[in-house]
Amino acid sequence: MKSEIINELVNSYKLVEPVYVTQPTMPDLALYNRYMEQIWETRWLTNDGQFHKQFEERLKQYLGVEHLNLLVNGTIALVIALQSLRINGGEVITTPFTFPATPHVLYWNNVRPVFCDIDKDTLNIDPSEIEKHITPDTKAILAVHVYGNPCDVEAIDAIAQRHSLHVIYDAAHAFGVKINGRSILEYGDISALSFHATKLFSSIEGGALISNSEKQQERIRYLRNFGIADEETVIGPGINGKMNEFQASFGLLNLDIVDKEIEDRQMITKMYRRQLDNIDGIHFLNDIPNTKHNYAYFPVFVDEDAYGIGRDELYAILKKCNINTRKYFYPLCSSYSCYSTLPSATESNLPVAHSASKQVLCLPLYGRLNTDVVENICQIIKKLHNDG
Ligand code: T4K
Protein backbone atom coordinates (compact mmCIF):
# COMPACT_ATOMS: atom_id res chain seq x y z
CA MET A 1 0.00 0.00 0.00
CA LYS A 2 1.22 3.48 -0.82
CA SER A 3 3.01 5.19 2.04
CA GLU A 4 1.07 8.48 1.56
CA ILE A 5 -2.22 6.67 2.16
CA ILE A 6 -0.82 4.98 5.27
CA ASN A 7 0.60 8.24 6.65
CA GLU A 8 -2.70 10.02 6.12
CA LEU A 9 -4.55 7.23 7.89
CA VAL A 10 -2.11 7.14 10.81
CA ASN A 11 -2.40 10.93 11.17
CA SER A 12 -6.20 10.70 11.35
CA TYR A 13 -6.55 7.60 13.52
CA LYS A 14 -3.50 7.35 15.78
CA LEU A 15 -4.54 6.94 19.41
CA VAL A 16 -2.92 9.18 22.02
CA GLU A 17 -2.46 6.29 24.46
CA PRO A 18 -1.44 2.80 23.34
CA VAL A 19 -4.06 0.07 23.44
CA TYR A 20 -3.03 -3.56 23.97
CA VAL A 21 -4.62 -6.83 22.93
CA THR A 22 -5.86 -7.19 26.48
CA GLN A 23 -5.78 -5.65 29.91
CA PRO A 24 -6.18 -7.55 33.18
CA THR A 25 -9.48 -7.44 35.03
CA MET A 26 -8.69 -6.26 38.54
CA PRO A 27 -10.77 -6.25 41.69
CA ASP A 28 -11.48 -3.14 43.73
CA LEU A 29 -8.23 -2.20 45.50
CA ALA A 30 -9.96 -1.41 48.81
CA LEU A 31 -11.49 -4.90 48.86
CA TYR A 32 -8.17 -6.48 47.99
CA ASN A 33 -6.50 -4.50 50.77
CA ARG A 34 -8.96 -5.96 53.27
CA TYR A 35 -7.82 -9.41 52.23
CA MET A 36 -4.21 -8.28 52.49
CA GLU A 37 -4.83 -7.13 56.07
CA GLN A 38 -6.07 -10.60 56.96
CA ILE A 39 -3.01 -12.16 55.34
CA TRP A 40 -0.75 -9.83 57.36
CA GLU A 41 -2.64 -10.65 60.54
CA THR A 42 -2.55 -14.41 60.14
CA ARG A 43 0.88 -14.58 58.46
CA TRP A 44 -0.49 -17.46 56.42
CA LEU A 45 0.90 -16.85 52.93
CA THR A 46 0.62 -20.11 51.04
CA ASN A 47 0.16 -23.92 51.43
CA ASP A 48 -3.60 -24.49 51.54
CA GLY A 49 -4.53 -21.21 53.26
CA GLN A 50 -8.04 -19.95 54.00
CA PHE A 51 -8.40 -17.98 50.72
CA HIS A 52 -7.12 -20.96 48.77
CA LYS A 53 -9.79 -23.19 50.35
CA GLN A 54 -12.55 -20.63 49.71
CA PHE A 55 -11.41 -20.04 46.13
CA GLU A 56 -11.40 -23.76 45.32
CA GLU A 57 -14.95 -24.18 46.65
CA ARG A 58 -16.31 -21.04 44.96
CA LEU A 59 -14.77 -22.06 41.63
CA LYS A 60 -16.40 -25.48 41.77
CA GLN A 61 -19.77 -23.83 42.28
CA TYR A 62 -19.24 -21.18 39.63
CA LEU A 63 -17.98 -23.60 36.99
CA GLY A 64 -20.45 -26.35 37.90
CA VAL A 65 -17.77 -29.02 38.34
CA GLU A 66 -17.18 -31.56 41.08
CA HIS A 67 -13.43 -32.20 41.15
CA LEU A 68 -11.15 -29.18 40.98
CA ASN A 69 -7.61 -28.46 42.19
CA LEU A 70 -6.04 -25.01 42.14
CA LEU A 71 -2.53 -24.71 40.70
CA VAL A 72 0.10 -22.01 40.50
CA ASN A 73 -0.35 -21.49 36.73
CA GLY A 74 -1.83 -23.15 33.66
CA THR A 75 1.45 -24.64 32.47
CA ILE A 76 2.18 -26.47 35.71
CA ALA A 77 -1.47 -27.57 35.68
CA LEU A 78 -0.85 -29.28 32.32
CA VAL A 79 2.43 -30.84 33.51
CA ILE A 80 0.62 -32.26 36.53
CA ALA A 81 -2.33 -33.42 34.40
CA LEU A 82 0.02 -35.61 32.36
CA GLN A 83 1.79 -36.88 35.48
CA SER A 84 -1.50 -37.67 37.16
CA LEU A 85 -2.45 -39.87 34.19
CA ARG A 86 1.06 -41.39 34.26
CA ILE A 87 1.81 -40.13 30.76
CA ASN A 88 5.59 -39.74 30.81
CA GLY A 89 6.76 -41.28 27.54
CA GLY A 90 5.50 -42.22 24.06
CA GLU A 91 3.47 -39.89 21.87
CA VAL A 92 0.56 -37.53 22.37
CA ILE A 93 -1.49 -36.12 19.49
CA THR A 94 -1.98 -32.38 19.73
CA THR A 95 -2.58 -29.18 17.78
CA PRO A 96 0.13 -26.85 16.48
CA PHE A 97 -2.27 -23.86 16.61
CA THR A 98 -1.74 -22.99 20.27
CA PHE A 99 0.49 -21.23 22.79
CA PRO A 100 3.96 -22.81 23.28
CA ALA A 101 2.94 -24.17 26.70
CA THR A 102 0.85 -26.92 25.06
CA PRO A 103 3.64 -28.86 23.28
CA HIS A 104 6.25 -27.81 25.86
CA VAL A 105 4.47 -29.66 28.68
CA LEU A 106 4.66 -32.80 26.57
CA TYR A 107 8.38 -32.31 26.09
CA TRP A 108 8.85 -31.75 29.84
CA ASN A 109 7.09 -35.07 30.45
CA ASN A 110 9.35 -36.88 27.98
CA VAL A 111 6.49 -37.23 25.50
CA ARG A 112 6.84 -36.66 21.72
CA PRO A 113 4.22 -34.25 20.37
CA VAL A 114 2.50 -35.44 17.20
CA PHE A 115 0.95 -32.48 15.42
CA CYS A 116 -2.47 -32.92 13.88
CA ASP A 117 -4.20 -30.45 11.55
CA ILE A 118 -7.07 -28.25 12.70
CA ASP A 119 -10.64 -27.69 11.58
CA LYS A 120 -11.03 -24.63 9.34
CA ASP A 121 -14.18 -23.41 11.09
CA THR A 122 -13.23 -23.79 14.77
CA LEU A 123 -9.40 -23.74 14.54
CA ASN A 124 -9.44 -26.64 17.02
CA ILE A 125 -7.90 -30.07 16.40
CA ASP A 126 -9.76 -31.76 13.52
CA PRO A 127 -11.17 -35.10 14.75
CA SER A 128 -11.22 -36.48 11.19
CA GLU A 129 -7.41 -36.06 11.08
CA ILE A 130 -6.62 -37.67 14.45
CA GLU A 131 -6.86 -41.39 13.74
CA LYS A 132 -4.22 -41.43 11.00
CA HIS A 133 -1.67 -40.31 13.65
CA ILE A 134 -2.43 -43.10 16.13
CA THR A 135 0.39 -45.63 16.60
CA PRO A 136 1.16 -48.22 19.31
CA ASP A 137 3.10 -45.41 21.09
CA THR A 138 0.12 -43.05 21.29
CA LYS A 139 -0.93 -42.38 24.88
CA ALA A 140 -3.39 -39.52 24.64
CA ILE A 141 -4.97 -36.66 22.75
CA LEU A 142 -4.15 -33.17 24.06
CA ALA A 143 -6.70 -30.84 22.49
CA VAL A 144 -7.08 -27.08 23.02
CA HIS A 145 -10.35 -25.10 23.10
CA VAL A 146 -8.73 -22.28 21.14
CA TYR A 147 -10.12 -18.79 21.91
CA GLY A 148 -12.62 -20.54 24.20
CA ASN A 149 -14.45 -22.19 21.28
CA PRO A 150 -15.27 -25.78 22.23
CA CYS A 151 -13.54 -28.66 20.49
CA ASP A 152 -15.72 -31.37 18.97
CA VAL A 153 -15.66 -33.17 22.33
CA GLU A 154 -18.07 -35.93 21.33
CA ALA A 155 -15.98 -36.94 18.30
CA ILE A 156 -12.71 -36.74 20.26
CA ASP A 157 -14.09 -38.82 23.12
CA ALA A 158 -15.39 -41.45 20.64
CA ILE A 159 -11.92 -41.77 19.05
CA ALA A 160 -10.29 -41.98 22.48
CA GLN A 161 -12.66 -44.74 23.54
CA ARG A 162 -12.11 -46.71 20.34
CA HIS A 163 -8.34 -46.65 20.85
CA SER A 164 -8.17 -46.63 24.69
CA LEU A 165 -6.50 -43.23 24.82
CA HIS A 166 -6.62 -40.55 27.47
CA VAL A 167 -8.02 -37.12 26.59
CA ILE A 168 -6.64 -33.94 28.12
CA TYR A 169 -8.16 -30.59 27.29
CA ASP A 170 -6.02 -27.49 27.45
CA ALA A 171 -8.87 -25.23 28.49
CA ALA A 172 -6.64 -22.21 29.18
CA HIS A 173 -9.06 -20.03 27.16
CA ALA A 174 -12.30 -21.75 28.10
CA PHE A 175 -13.25 -20.41 31.54
CA GLY A 176 -17.02 -20.59 31.99
CA VAL A 177 -17.76 -22.07 28.56
CA LYS A 178 -20.69 -24.49 28.38
CA ILE A 179 -22.27 -26.65 25.71
CA ASN A 180 -25.90 -27.68 26.04
CA GLY A 181 -25.82 -26.28 29.59
CA ARG A 182 -22.89 -28.48 30.66
CA SER A 183 -19.43 -27.19 31.50
CA ILE A 184 -16.93 -27.87 28.73
CA LEU A 185 -14.48 -28.73 31.52
CA GLU A 186 -16.34 -31.96 32.26
CA TYR A 187 -15.29 -33.65 29.03
CA GLY A 188 -12.23 -35.89 28.70
CA ASP A 189 -10.11 -37.17 31.59
CA ILE A 190 -8.79 -33.79 32.69
CA SER A 191 -9.13 -30.13 31.70
CA ALA A 192 -6.58 -27.45 32.54
CA LEU A 193 -7.51 -23.79 33.08
CA SER A 194 -5.18 -20.78 33.12
CA PHE A 195 -5.86 -17.75 35.31
CA HIS A 196 -2.97 -15.68 33.94
CA ALA A 197 -3.28 -11.87 34.08
CA THR A 198 -4.09 -11.78 30.36
CA LYS A 199 -6.96 -14.23 30.64
CA LEU A 200 -10.66 -13.46 30.83
CA PHE A 201 -10.57 -14.60 34.45
CA SER A 202 -7.37 -14.05 36.39
CA SER A 203 -5.71 -14.66 39.73
CA ILE A 204 -2.55 -12.78 38.57
CA GLU A 205 -0.91 -16.12 37.71
CA GLY A 206 -2.86 -19.28 38.36
CA GLY A 207 -4.61 -22.30 37.01
CA ALA A 208 -6.75 -25.29 37.89
CA LEU A 209 -7.30 -28.90 36.92
CA ILE A 210 -10.77 -30.34 36.58
CA SER A 211 -10.73 -34.12 36.79
CA ASN A 212 -13.46 -36.74 36.76
CA SER A 213 -12.97 -38.65 40.00
CA GLU A 214 -12.27 -38.18 43.68
CA LYS A 215 -9.22 -40.42 43.28
CA GLN A 216 -7.74 -38.31 40.50
CA GLN A 217 -8.37 -35.12 42.46
CA GLU A 218 -6.54 -36.63 45.44
CA ARG A 219 -3.62 -37.66 43.24
CA ILE A 220 -3.33 -34.12 41.86
CA ARG A 221 -3.40 -32.76 45.42
CA TYR A 222 -0.30 -34.84 46.27
CA LEU A 223 1.43 -34.05 42.99
CA ARG A 224 1.11 -30.29 43.49
CA ASN A 225 2.70 -30.52 46.97
CA PHE A 226 5.90 -32.55 46.35
CA GLY A 227 3.98 -35.82 46.83
CA ILE A 228 3.76 -35.11 50.56
CA ALA A 229 1.02 -37.09 52.34
CA ASP A 230 2.01 -36.13 55.89
CA GLU A 231 5.05 -34.87 57.78
CA GLU A 232 6.85 -38.19 57.43
CA THR A 233 5.39 -39.61 54.22
CA VAL A 234 6.15 -38.74 50.62
CA ILE A 235 4.16 -41.00 48.34
CA GLY A 236 5.72 -40.03 45.02
CA PRO A 237 7.77 -37.51 43.05
CA GLY A 238 5.51 -34.45 43.12
CA ILE A 239 6.36 -30.86 42.33
CA ASN A 240 5.61 -27.43 43.78
CA GLY A 241 2.41 -26.41 42.01
CA LYS A 242 0.72 -24.58 44.87
CA MET A 243 -1.20 -21.33 44.53
CA ASN A 244 -0.46 -18.72 47.20
CA GLU A 245 -2.88 -16.59 49.21
CA PHE A 246 -2.22 -13.39 47.22
CA GLN A 247 -3.29 -15.13 44.02
CA ALA A 248 -6.23 -16.90 45.67
CA SER A 249 -7.67 -13.72 47.20
CA PHE A 250 -7.27 -11.84 43.88
CA GLY A 251 -9.10 -14.70 42.15
CA LEU A 252 -11.84 -14.81 44.76
CA LEU A 253 -12.61 -11.13 44.24
CA ASN A 254 -12.43 -11.41 40.46
CA LEU A 255 -14.97 -14.21 40.59
CA ASP A 256 -17.53 -11.64 41.76
CA ILE A 257 -17.01 -9.52 38.64
CA VAL A 258 -16.35 -12.11 35.95
CA ASP A 259 -19.97 -12.22 34.72
CA LYS A 260 -19.90 -8.47 34.12
CA GLU A 261 -16.57 -8.87 32.31
CA ILE A 262 -18.07 -11.51 30.00
CA GLU A 263 -21.12 -9.29 29.35
CA ASP A 264 -18.92 -6.30 28.45
CA ARG A 265 -16.77 -8.43 26.15
CA GLN A 266 -19.85 -9.84 24.47
CA MET A 267 -21.05 -6.30 23.77
CA ILE A 268 -17.66 -5.34 22.26
CA THR A 269 -17.56 -8.57 20.24
CA LYS A 270 -21.00 -7.75 18.80
CA MET A 271 -19.75 -4.29 17.90
CA TYR A 272 -16.70 -5.69 16.09
CA ARG A 273 -18.86 -8.21 14.24
CA ARG A 274 -21.36 -5.55 13.18
CA GLN A 275 -18.68 -3.17 11.95
CA LEU A 276 -16.45 -5.73 10.23
CA ASP A 277 -19.20 -7.68 8.54
CA ASN A 278 -19.08 -7.64 4.74
CA ILE A 279 -15.51 -6.40 4.35
CA ASP A 280 -14.00 -8.51 1.57
CA GLY A 281 -11.13 -10.59 2.92
CA ILE A 282 -11.87 -10.05 6.64
CA HIS A 283 -13.39 -13.07 8.38
CA PHE A 284 -14.17 -13.74 12.00
CA LEU A 285 -15.68 -16.54 14.11
CA ASN A 286 -19.36 -16.45 15.00
CA ASP A 287 -21.17 -17.88 18.02
CA ILE A 288 -21.84 -21.61 17.92
CA PRO A 289 -25.42 -22.83 18.63
CA ASN A 290 -26.08 -24.33 22.10
CA THR A 291 -22.83 -22.82 23.40
CA LYS A 292 -22.34 -20.36 26.24
CA HIS A 293 -19.33 -18.41 25.00
CA ASN A 294 -16.91 -16.43 27.17
CA TYR A 295 -15.68 -13.94 24.54
CA ALA A 296 -12.07 -14.41 25.57
CA TYR A 297 -10.52 -13.25 22.25
CA PHE A 298 -11.55 -11.59 19.01
CA PRO A 299 -9.46 -13.07 16.19
CA VAL A 300 -9.91 -11.89 12.60
CA PHE A 301 -8.50 -13.65 9.55
CA VAL A 302 -7.08 -11.56 6.72
CA ASP A 303 -7.21 -12.93 3.19
CA GLU A 304 -4.63 -10.78 1.42
CA ASP A 305 -5.99 -11.33 -2.11
CA ALA A 306 -9.49 -10.21 -1.20
CA TYR A 307 -8.62 -7.53 1.38
CA GLY A 308 -5.82 -5.87 -0.53
CA ILE A 309 -3.14 -6.02 2.15
CA GLY A 310 -1.91 -8.96 4.20
CA ARG A 311 -2.15 -9.68 7.93
CA ASP A 312 1.40 -8.48 8.64
CA GLU A 313 0.84 -5.13 6.97
CA LEU A 314 -2.43 -4.64 8.85
CA TYR A 315 -0.63 -5.50 12.10
CA ALA A 316 2.10 -2.93 11.34
CA ILE A 317 -0.32 -0.14 10.40
CA LEU A 318 -2.43 -0.71 13.52
CA LYS A 319 0.76 -0.61 15.58
CA LYS A 320 1.64 2.77 14.05
CA CYS A 321 -1.78 3.90 15.24
CA ASN A 322 -0.88 2.77 18.77
CA ILE A 323 -3.12 -0.30 18.51
CA ASN A 324 -1.22 -3.41 19.62
CA THR A 325 -2.80 -6.52 18.20
CA ARG A 326 -1.32 -10.04 18.52
CA LYS A 327 -0.79 -12.87 16.06
CA TYR A 328 -2.16 -15.64 18.30
CA PHE A 329 -1.01 -18.21 17.06
CA TYR A 330 1.81 -17.40 14.67
CA PRO A 331 4.23 -19.03 14.21
CA LEU A 332 2.73 -22.47 14.66
CA CYS A 333 4.28 -24.53 17.47
CA SER A 334 5.32 -27.08 14.82
CA SER A 335 7.57 -24.39 13.30
CA TYR A 336 9.64 -23.81 16.48
CA SER A 337 13.18 -25.11 16.04
CA CYS A 338 12.65 -27.59 18.90
CA TYR A 339 9.78 -29.29 17.04
CA SER A 340 10.26 -28.49 13.33
CA THR A 341 12.17 -31.70 12.56
CA LEU A 342 9.37 -33.95 13.86
CA PRO A 343 7.75 -35.98 11.06
CA SER A 344 4.34 -34.49 11.90
CA ALA A 345 5.62 -30.89 11.68
CA THR A 346 5.60 -30.63 7.88
CA GLU A 347 3.44 -28.01 6.20
CA SER A 348 1.83 -30.71 4.04
CA ASN A 349 0.54 -32.40 7.23
CA LEU A 350 -0.86 -29.13 8.57
CA PRO A 351 -2.31 -27.11 5.66
CA VAL A 352 -5.27 -25.61 7.53
CA ALA A 353 -3.15 -24.67 10.55
CA HIS A 354 -0.57 -22.98 8.30
CA SER A 355 -3.20 -21.01 6.47
CA ALA A 356 -4.93 -19.84 9.69
CA SER A 357 -1.63 -18.96 11.33
CA LYS A 358 -0.63 -16.74 8.38
CA GLN A 359 -3.96 -14.90 8.43
CA VAL A 360 -4.85 -14.50 12.10
CA LEU A 361 -4.80 -11.28 14.07
CA CYS A 362 -6.34 -10.90 17.54
CA LEU A 363 -7.85 -7.45 18.01
CA PRO A 364 -7.95 -5.75 21.43
CA LEU A 365 -10.71 -7.17 23.62
CA TYR A 366 -11.35 -6.57 27.31
CA GLY A 367 -14.29 -5.29 29.32
CA ARG A 368 -12.91 -1.80 29.96
CA LEU A 369 -12.01 -1.23 26.30
CA ASN A 370 -13.54 2.06 25.23
CA THR A 371 -16.14 1.68 22.48
CA ASP A 372 -14.66 4.75 20.72
CA VAL A 373 -11.43 2.80 20.42
CA VAL A 374 -13.29 -0.18 18.94
CA GLU A 375 -14.95 2.19 16.47
CA ASN A 376 -11.53 3.65 15.61
CA ILE A 377 -10.02 0.20 15.00
CA CYS A 378 -12.92 -0.79 12.75
CA GLN A 379 -12.70 2.46 10.79
CA ILE A 380 -9.01 1.81 10.08
CA ILE A 381 -9.75 -1.74 8.91
CA LYS A 382 -12.57 -0.50 6.65
CA LYS A 383 -10.56 2.40 5.23
CA LEU A 384 -7.57 0.20 4.45
CA HIS A 385 -9.82 -1.94 2.31
CA ASN A 386 -11.63 0.93 0.59
CA ASP A 387 -8.56 3.11 -0.04
CA GLY A 388 -6.14 0.30 -0.87
N1 T4K B 1 -2.30 -23.14 27.01
C1 T4K B 1 -2.76 -22.13 26.24
C2 T4K B 1 -3.62 -22.46 25.08
C3 T4K B 1 -2.43 -20.81 26.56
O1 T4K B 1 -2.88 -19.80 25.77
C4 T4K B 1 -1.63 -20.54 27.69
C5 T4K B 1 -1.27 -19.19 28.02
C6 T4K B 1 -1.19 -21.63 28.48
C7 T4K B 1 -1.55 -22.91 28.10
C8 T4K B 1 -0.34 -21.46 29.69
O2 T4K B 1 -1.02 -20.86 30.77
P1 T4K B 1 -0.18 -20.03 31.89
O3 T4K B 1 0.97 -20.91 32.34
O4 T4K B 1 0.28 -18.74 31.25
O5 T4K B 1 -1.18 -19.81 33.00
C9 T4K B 1 0.03 -14.37 27.09
C10 T4K B 1 0.01 -15.03 28.45
O6 T4K B 1 1.22 -14.82 29.16
C11 T4K B 1 -0.28 -16.49 28.41
O7 T4K B 1 -0.74 -16.86 29.70
C12 T4K B 1 -1.39 -16.82 27.40
N2 T4K B 1 -1.57 -18.24 27.25
C13 T4K B 1 -1.09 -16.21 26.06
C14 T4K B 1 -2.18 -16.48 25.05
O8 T4K B 1 -0.97 -14.80 26.22
P2 T4K B 1 1.99 -13.23 25.84
O9 T4K B 1 3.41 -13.61 25.62
O10 T4K B 1 1.21 -12.77 24.69
O11 T4K B 1 1.87 -12.15 27.03
P3 T4K B 1 2.24 -10.62 27.07
O12 T4K B 1 3.02 -10.39 28.30
O13 T4K B 1 2.83 -10.20 25.78
O14 T4K B 1 0.82 -9.92 27.29
C15 T4K B 1 -0.06 -9.57 26.23
C16 T4K B 1 -0.56 -8.15 26.44
O15 T4K B 1 -1.33 -8.07 27.62
C17 T4K B 1 0.56 -7.13 26.62
O16 T4K B 1 0.92 -6.62 25.38
C18 T4K B 1 -0.05 -6.08 27.51
C19 T4K B 1 -1.14 -6.80 28.27
N3 T4K B 1 -0.76 -7.04 29.68
C20 T4K B 1 -0.03 -8.15 30.01
C21 T4K B 1 0.30 -8.40 31.32
C22 T4K B 1 1.11 -9.63 31.69
C23 T4K B 1 -1.17 -6.14 30.64
O17 T4K B 1 -1.81 -5.12 30.32
N4 T4K B 1 -0.86 -6.40 31.95
C24 T4K B 1 -0.13 -7.49 32.34
O18 T4K B 1 0.11 -7.69 33.55
O19 T4K B 1 1.28 -14.48 26.51
Side-chain angles (χ1 to χ4, degrees), residues 154 335 360:
E154 305 286 352
S335 304
V360 71

Side-chain angles (χ1 to χ4, degrees), residues 19-24 26 72-78 97-103 105 144-147 170-173 192-199 204-207 297 324-326 328-329 366:
V19 165
Y20 297 99
V21 68
T22 191
Q23 212 179 53
M26 298 179 69
V72 67
N73 61 50
T75 307
I76 290 292
L78 283 166
F97 193 75
T98 181
F99 193 65
T102 317
V105 298
V144 183
H145 303 297
V146 179
Y147 311 130
D170 178 340
H173 304 174
L193 287 169
S194 162
F195 306 148
H196 183 261
T198 57
K199 293 295 189 296
I204 308 174
E205 292 265 5
Y297 295 88
N324 297 284
T325 59
R326 292 301 284 265
Y328 295 136
F329 291 101
Y366 48 92

Side-chain angles (χ1 to χ4, degrees), residues 34-47:
R34 270 194 232 158
Y35 281 22
M36 292 303 100
E37 280 164 17
Q38 287 185 52
I39 292 176
W40 255 253
E41 242 168 62
T42 58
R43 291 186 178 256
W44 197 284
L45 309 184
T46 185
N47 289 13

